[in-house]
Amino acid sequence: METKIPEATAKRLPLYYRYLNNLLSANKLRVSSTELAEAIQVDAATIRRDFSYFGTLGKRGYGYDVHKLIDFFKKILDQDTLTNVALIGVGNLGHALLNFNFHKNSNVRISAAFDINPTIIGSIQSNVPVYGMTQLQEQLQDQQIEIAIITIPAAIAQEVTDKLVQAGIKGIMNFTTVRVSVPQTVHIQNIDLTNELQTLIYAINHD
Amino acid sequence: METKIPEATAKRLPLYYRYLNNLLSANKLRVSSTELAEAIQVDAATIRRDFSYFGTLGKRGYGYDVHKLIDFFKKILDQDTLTNVALIGVGNLGHALLNFNFHKNSNVRISAAFDINPTIIGSIQSNVPVYGMTQLQEQLQDQQIEIAIITIPAAIAQEVTDKLVQAGIKGIMNFTTVRVSVPQTVHIQNIDLTNELQTLIYAINHD
């Protein structure tokens, strides 16, 4: 599967995939782009354009076959293989993420956590083992982990990021407020909750 | 301040604001768009265009005056007034958000939490009072809260959203996997962590 698709389309794939699985659970075997549009609040034209990147998957007047779409997206999203990710920093937010550990049918799982707090190193938190930072390189290699979530203080964000890059990490989900620097080969997904909330406040105040 | 600016620009304002405050703490009184660009990883041309929406604030060869920029963004972002927000659902993620309660200089604060669990209703969690869902309308009105964060099970997301809209909420930060329906006058900010992680995995696998 080597189609080069736009980033905005890629971002919607997991959303499509999750909703299609909901449809299947409800025994719904076909769906129109209009129905999809209403459910996931993306306009129908965008959905049809997104789907067109993968070839013609729908039939006019019939809609899309839910089974076929799911099989198709499953392959693109590599949902057949479980992806293990690491969590760096088991503070409040870290704990919440361990407990949440992503959705059951997402095939993503935090399999190792890391912290500097000696009272939790060596313990199992929400079914996930917590290692010391000195074990980072070894564990990431042993567990073939390529993705890390960082929920650490801003002051050490860059330092820890450098260690992760050194250990071969290819993607970082960054919950800190720091925009960390990484080589071009490493992907960063910034989740800045304060920023999101302020954007919402700004939108409301400037309506 | 009634300039109509693009949404993408609006989204970057809190980021600029936060970074400028860091500069001030470090006694740095001027900054170039290139320096800003490196620190927050937005390209310099975008920064200059963003700033141009607010009039010419920088001087060629001198850069921008940090004090002036902060004063300016503070006004736009209504950072002079504290915005109280409500949290609906004090589960794991809810607890983590209460504890986090946004950045000190963001002027946003969760001032009321709501849940259906009788063992925490009436208690104070991380300095925030927890009310029952029956007190929702009354408390939101009394505290003039217009923004709510929902960290509740997907199954009740729409039902709770309807109650929030009825109670006069203008903006919702949605951590559930459901794309809730709201009237056009209500703003929604979806934070779908599973989706963000899958997008990252997709990017890495398709490099």
Side-chain angles (χ1 to χ4, degrees), chain A residues 11 14 18 41 76 78-79 92 99 103 106 108 147 177 180 187 189 192 194-198 205 207, chain B residues 14 18 41 78-79 92 99 103 106 108 177 180 187 189 192 194-198 201-202 205 207:
Chain A
K11 234 180 143 78
R18 186 130 29 87
Q41 295 181 14
I76 304 181
D78 297 297
Q79 291 284 318
N92 274 301
N99 223 302
H103 295 287
S106 71
V108 184
I147 293 174
T177 53
V180 291
H187 293 263
Q189 197 89 336
D192 187 332
T194 305
N195 198 49
E196 298 284 345
L197 193 55
Q198 287 186 319
N205 290 338
D207 245 0
Chain B
R18 186 129 30 87
Q41 294 180 13
D78 296 299
Q79 291 283 320
N92 275 299
N99 224 301
H103 296 287
S106 70
V108 184
T177 54
V180 291
H187 293 264
Q189 198 89 335
D192 188 331
T194 305
N195 198 49
E196 299 284 345
L197 194 54
Q198 287 186 319
I201 294 169
Y202 179 87
N205 289 338
D207 245 357

Side-chain angles (χ1 to χ4, degrees), chain B residues 96-108:
Chain B
L97 290 176
L98 282 183
N99 224 301
F100 168 60
N101 219 341
F102 304 96
H103 296 287
K104 272 160 203 142
N105 65 354
S106 70
N107 255 337
V108 184

Side-chain angles (χ1 to χ4, degrees), chain A residues 18 39, chain B residues 150 153-155 157-158 174-181 190 192:
Chain A
R18 186 130 29 87
Chain B
I150 56 175
Q158 187 60 55
N174 175 21
F175 279 92
T176 80
T177 54
V178 178
R179 296 289 168 123
V180 291
S181 302
N190 293 305
D192 188 331

Side-chain angles (χ1 to χ4, degrees), chain A residues 54 64 82 86 134-135:
Chain A
F54 313 109
Y64 297 89
L82 178 68
T134 50
Q135 293 164 279

Side-chain angles (χ1 to χ4, degrees), chain B residues 151-166:
Chain B
T151 49
I152 50 179
I156 56 162
Q158 187 60 55
E159 181 197 327
V160 169
T161 299
D162 294 344
K163 278 186 194 156
L164 289 170
V165 171
Q166 252 182 344

